[in-house]
Amino acid sequence: MQKINDFFDIYAKALENYDSKGMSFLYNIPCTMLSDDATSVFNDAGKLEGFFNQGTGFYRQFGIANVRPQVWSWLHLTEKIVNVKVKWQYLDVFKKLIYDCDYHYTLKSDKNDQWKIILSVSVNEKERMEEWKARRP
């Protein structure tokens, strides 16, 4: 079975390459994304990819060139379902931290023993992003 750290390294590489198709491939369809402000359910891979296209546009605009996942913990709920806590670090081309944020994920192993995200919970990305924007010159 694919290792959790390897999975998030692949995800980070897709983010760095602004690869919305690659990011979408890491999600189960249907999947859900939650934050305090929104709940989005994606039943179509094309719509999920479109959602990621918007996000990669933001990353390009604000100079995010490197992405580092730090897997803090994971807990197997069953043999094929795991909850994972990740701190994401978003860095510029010089590898200087722009901002970081926390996410919780529920992953499920598919028929090929590959992890797929079925639930993504943004804990504080909006707040961290707004703090960073407020500090910018």
Side-chain angles (χ1 to χ4, degrees):
M1 186 175 287
Q2 183 184 28
K3 295 184 190 271
I4 299 294
N5 287 326
D6 294 343
F7 175 87
F8 285 101
D9 287 342
I10 292 166
Y11 195 148
K13 190 55 65 185
L15 281 167
E16 287 178 349
N17 292 324
Y18 313 114
D19 180 5
S20 57
K21 186 176 283 306
M23 292 164 55
S24 297
F25 181 75
L26 299 173
Y27 280 77
N28 184 75
I29 298 297
C31 64
T32 304
M33 294 185 182
L34 292 175
S35 69
D36 284 343
D37 298 331
T39 300
S40 301
V41 177
F42 293 92
N43 293 308
D44 178 274
K47 290 184 180 182
L48 179 62
E49 187 177 340
F51 174 80
F52 286 135
N53 274 329
Q54 292 175 342
T56 58
F58 170 85
Y59 293 150
R60 282 180 205 240
Q61 178 184 355
F62 289 103
I64 294 172
N66 295 281
V67 181
R68 300 290 174 261
Q70 294 179 315
V71 176
W72 285 86
S73 64
W74 67 85
L75 173 66
H76 279 272
L77 301 177
T78 71
E79 183 179 320
K80 294 185 174 259
I81 301 172
V82 63
N83 278 339
V84 184
K85 180 181 176 183
V86 178
K87 179 177 284 298
W88 289 99
Q89 295 179 324
Y90 298 99
L91 305 106
D92 65 17
V93 70
F94 303 108
K95 299 195 176 164
K96 180 182 175 205
L97 182 67
I98 294 175
Y99 74 92
D100 62 12
C101 62
D102 302 301
Y103 270 80
H104 291 243
Y105 296 94
T106 301
L107 282 67
K108 184 176 181 183
S109 179
D110 70 9
K111 63 184 177 187
N112 299 313
D113 284 333
Q114 298 295 307
W115 291 116
K116 300 288 184 175
I117 299 169
I118 60 172
L119 174 64
S120 170
V121 180
S122 172
V123 176
N124 56 10
E125 184 168 26
K126 181 181 176 189
E127 296 82 3
R128 297 283 175 85
M129 195 182 307
E130 288 173 355
E131 290 168 5
W132 166 70
K133 284 176 159 180
R135 289 191 311 267
R136 289 180 52 221

